[in-house]
Amino acid sequence: MINVLFSAKEHNWQQYKDVIPAACRQLDLDVCLGRDLAEADVDYIVYAPNKSLTDFTPFTHCKAVLSLWAGVETIAPNPTLTQPLCRLVDPGLEQGMVEWVTGHVLRHHLGIDKHIAPTDHSWTPEPAPLARSRRVTILGLGALGAACAKALAGLGFQVAGWSRSPKQIEGVTCHSGDQGLHDALANTDILVLLLPLTPATTDIINERTLAIMPAGSVIINPGRGALIDDAALLSALDAGHISHATLDVFRVEPLPQNDPYWHHPKVTVTPHIASETRPETAAERIAENIRRGEAGEPFLNLVDRTRGY
């Protein structure tokens, strides 16, 4: 019997209490999934941050902590967490992100807002250029960023991407390092932020990097709110240097009613809906990592503590 502690909020338990055991049975794993297991008996922890578990020291036989989230910036720094930590890379979340990002890139590319907003019944045909004339840059080429880059390249956009370490993606111009970031930002019309949040990426979009971007650029952020220096972005929007920002994530959520983003004419706010983890497909990844742990195989999506993701 493999003992799996489920440590997350009540609504998460209701989502996963049946699908994780079902996914494990598909892999012939005999699993006991529970919320109140003896610490010394726990083999794996399925985890989302919660007040009931902040100290991992007693789990001396735990082989891995399996996050329910793709982002682990609030988990990885915990000094008591010495067990391997795995991010959740869920096929359902990935597909949802591709659809959301593609939709908003096309919205800005086609100028859809301009055509549906007029109230004066003006007739001003201004067809958009073809996708091959539009430069889209994605900061962050992990599983989500790479999937979005491939989808946009498939539509014919000029797609570039930037990541901390060098990557190769067919149909995508890949950059890395400080000079690569400069080049990626300097040659974009639409910028998509899908970086993990680390000390190195916090406020990566700031007064200096915004100034590198061409005048009239658009920013789309479904990644992490703290990737953007909010004051710097608002200033760039007010000055007309950035033509629009579509933001799905924020430093404080829900976004306070008095936040200037709500009222800015060049900002679209969406309520953190870019993508959602799907319990059925997420459970399959959790079960696969348990199988790998039992077989002595490398875990999927193991977090590098030195990088924070």
Side-chain angles (χ1 to χ4, degrees):
M1 179 69 71
I2 305 167
N3 292 311
V4 180
L5 176 67
F6 190 93
S7 181
K9 295 182 178 179
E10 173 63 26
H11 76 275
N12 296 127
W13 172 246
Q14 296 303 323
Q15 291 175 313
Y16 285 95
K17 64 185 177 69
D18 297 322
V19 295
I20 289 177
C24 288
R25 287 193 294 271
Q26 290 296 315
L27 298 179
D28 295 322
L29 298 171
D30 188 11
V31 164
C32 172
L33 179 71
R35 303 178 73 184
D36 188 22
L37 303 178
E39 294 165 341
D41 295 336
V42 171
D43 297 302
Y44 300 89
I45 301 174
V46 175
Y47 184 72
N50 66 93
K51 294 180 180 178
S52 65
L53 175 51
T54 57
D55 182 3
F56 293 87
T57 306
F59 298 93
T60 54
H61 296 289
C62 178
K63 300 172 186 176
V65 174
L66 310 176
S67 174
L68 283 174
W69 295 356
V72 293
E73 65 271 7
T74 61
I75 306 173
N78 187 326
T80 71
L81 179 57
T82 58
Q83 300 88 344
L85 171 65
C86 300
R87 296 185 301 114
L88 180 60
V89 178
D90 167 31
L93 184 148
E94 182 178 297
Q95 181 60 32
M97 185 64 76
V98 167
E99 293 175 6
W100 190 91
V101 167
T102 300
H104 282 281
V105 167
L106 285 169
R107 167 186 157 226
H108 289 294
H109 165 63
L110 296 172
I112 288 176
D113 290 5
K114 179 169 59 179
H115 293 297
I116 64 175
T119 57
D120 60 357
H121 307 290
S122 59
W123 186 276
T124 53
E126 296 179 13
L130 294 177
R132 66 191 181 201
S133 300
R134 189 79 73 187
R135 301 169 299 178
V136 181
T137 296
I138 298 178
L139 299 191
L141 292 175
L144 298 180
C148 292
K150 292 174 186 176
L152 292 166
L155 290 172
F157 288 101
Q158 298 179 46
V159 181
W162 180 84
S163 55
R164 176 174 173 174
S165 55
K167 299 283 181 71
Q168 289 187 332
I169 301 173
E170 185 176 355
V172 178
T173 301
C174 296
H175 301 277
S176 61
D178 291 342
Q179 184 59 47
L181 178 59
H182 182 282
D183 294 344
L185 293 173
N187 294 281
T188 189
D189 300 308
I190 301 174
L191 180 69
V192 181
L193 304 180
L194 281 169
L195 288 162
L197 184 61
T198 69
T201 63
T202 298
D203 291 332
I204 194 169
I205 300 303
N206 52 50
E207 184 178 2
R208 181 184 63 83
T209 52
L210 285 164
I212 297 171
M213 297 176 63
S217 302
V218 168
I219 293 175
I220 299 174
N221 186 17
R224 290 289 184 266
L227 296 173
I228 294 176
D229 178 332
D230 296 318
L233 176 57
L234 287 164
S235 178
L237 288 163
D238 289 340
H241 183 68
I242 300 300
S243 65
H244 200 94
T246 292
L247 309 175
D248 186 59
V249 287
F250 307 90
R251 291 173 187 266
V252 177
E253 295 184 4
L255 188 65
Q257 289 297 309
N258 63 348
D259 192 283
Y261 280 142
W262 279 117
H263 313 291
H264 201 288
K266 296 180 181 178
V267 174
T268 299
V269 170
T270 62
H272 204 143
I273 55 168
S275 193
E276 182 78 15
T277 299
R278 272 64 175 177
E280 291 79 9
T281 52
E284 293 171 1
R285 288 300 176 95
I286 291 168
E288 173 59 17
N289 259 340
I290 293 173
R291 186 200 68 76
R292 285 170 173 260
E294 294 303 290
E297 299 176 10
F299 289 113
L300 296 172
N301 310 121
L302 187 64
V303 172
D304 182 339
R305 301 297 178 82
T306 62
R307 295 185 175 184
Y309 60 91

